[in-house]
Amino acid sequence: MWAAGEAYEPYVGRWSRLVAARFVRALDVPPGGSWRDVGCGTGAVTRAVLEAAQPADVVGVDPSESYLAYARAHVHDPRARFVRADAVNLPFAGGAASAAVGGLVLNFVPAAPRAAAEMVRVVRPGGLVGVYLWDYGEGGMEAIRAFWDAATALDPRARELDEAVRFPLCTRTALGALLAGAGLVDVETEEIRVPTPFHDFDDYWTPFLGGQGPAPAYLAALPEDRRRALRERLEAALPRAADGSIPLRARAWAARGRRTA
């Protein structure tokens, strides 16, 4: 389902960039470091590192060649490069990086503990590992929560595809435990809240037609009459401001820790 960067950006990428900027600043990695962006996707975290952390270099890793192509086309800083690889088998020597980070990726990795262990392996002693995920389980990602609430009301079987059901890692406790279980010390977690306003209903609905992610994939599989019914239910249910915009918010859980000396 992750195949088109142009479709991902209006769906989730535009909001991930807001979280990435705050996430990177909070890590407080000294300037001049070497970074690894695991599951870099279209490059949101890499761009945040370049803008806020004064790195010596950043290497983004992702298994999707389409997403890597998008990142290369939109990130022109010579300090950044992008390579195709899997999160559970990073193509880096151990102990070489100052920081390894991952935004919105670990819930899509079947072996998340192995991916976390790989991130720990590639940072030097005292180096930092940081990750963040949307809060699906407690409804913090309101745009997607509204979609699944409407979908489940029309089709109870849709619940098994809901990220809140499929991704138990997306909580403060689970994410912190993952990093602690990978051997990191001084593990801290925090919430990052960002506004996710939509100009109108079309601005909300159209990105779901791009096929990028569980909800758009579910929508693409529906026959036209059921898709229309879901659209109508959502259009009636979403909140509206006086100017017709849709004022939603999102919450991400972030966790970070240091590799022991």
Side-chain angles (χ1 to χ4, degrees):
M1 68 180 69
W2 305 112
E6 292 79 3
Y8 174 83
E9 277 297 301
Y11 175 55
V12 172
R14 54 178 162 171
W15 315 125
S16 179
R17 288 197 298 274
L18 299 179
V19 176
R22 291 175 54 182
F23 167 73
V24 169
R25 287 195 297 268
L27 296 178
D28 198 26
V29 175
S34 181
W35 292 65
R36 305 292 179 265
D37 179 6
V38 179
C40 66
T42 56
V45 177
T46 292
R47 278 180 279 187
V49 171
L50 293 168
E51 292 167 3
Q54 302 179 53
D57 62 84
V58 189
V59 185
V61 174
D62 201 275
S64 170
E65 189 55 53
S66 173
Y67 280 21
L68 292 172
Y70 186 98
R72 292 182 186 117
H74 291 81
V75 179
H76 304 122
D77 193 304
R79 296 172 295 171
R81 65 186 178 94
F82 299 93
V83 298
R84 187 176 186 182
D86 194 280
V88 299
N89 189 24
L90 297 176
F92 308 121
S98 307
V101 291
L104 309 183
V105 64
L106 288 182
N107 46 296
F108 291 103
V109 179
R114 183 176 169 186
E118 274 289 272
M119 295 175 75
V120 175
R121 179 186 66 80
V122 302
V123 299
R124 62 179 61 108
L128 188 141
V129 173
V131 295
Y132 68 85
L133 297 171
W134 293 125
D135 166 23
Y136 295 117
E138 298 180 21
M141 185 47 161
E142 293 179 351
I144 294 178
R145 179 74 270 132
F147 177 93
W148 287 119
D149 286 348
T152 302
L154 296 171
D155 174 17
R157 293 172 299 179
R159 176 169 169 73
E160 64 190 48
L161 303 176
D162 185 339
E163 285 98 327
V165 175
R166 294 176 56 195
F167 300 142
L169 184 59
C170 298
T171 69
R172 176 187 291 225
T173 300
L175 201 56
L178 178 73
L179 296 195
L184 295 170
V185 298
D186 302 326
V187 173
E188 298 179 3
T189 60
E190 66 171 338
E191 68 172 12
I192 301 176
R193 291 183 177 269
V194 295
T196 58
F198 297 87
H199 298 301
D200 51 30
F201 183 75
D202 283 341
D203 187 34
Y204 171 87
W205 176 255
T206 301
F208 282 99
L209 304 178
Q212 304 299 293
Y218 169 80
L219 185 64
L222 293 178
E224 180 57 35
D225 60 331
R226 291 175 58 191
R227 193 179 309 164
R228 183 169 56 253
L230 179 53
R231 176 190 170 108
E232 291 171 355
R233 189 178 186 93
L234 274 165
E235 191 165 13
L238 288 167
R240 302 297 174 93
D243 61 359
S245 64
I246 300 173
L248 300 179
R249 296 183 63 82
R251 175 170 64 188
W253 295 119
R256 62 184 182 270
R258 294 195 176 275
R259 181 176 176 179
T260 56

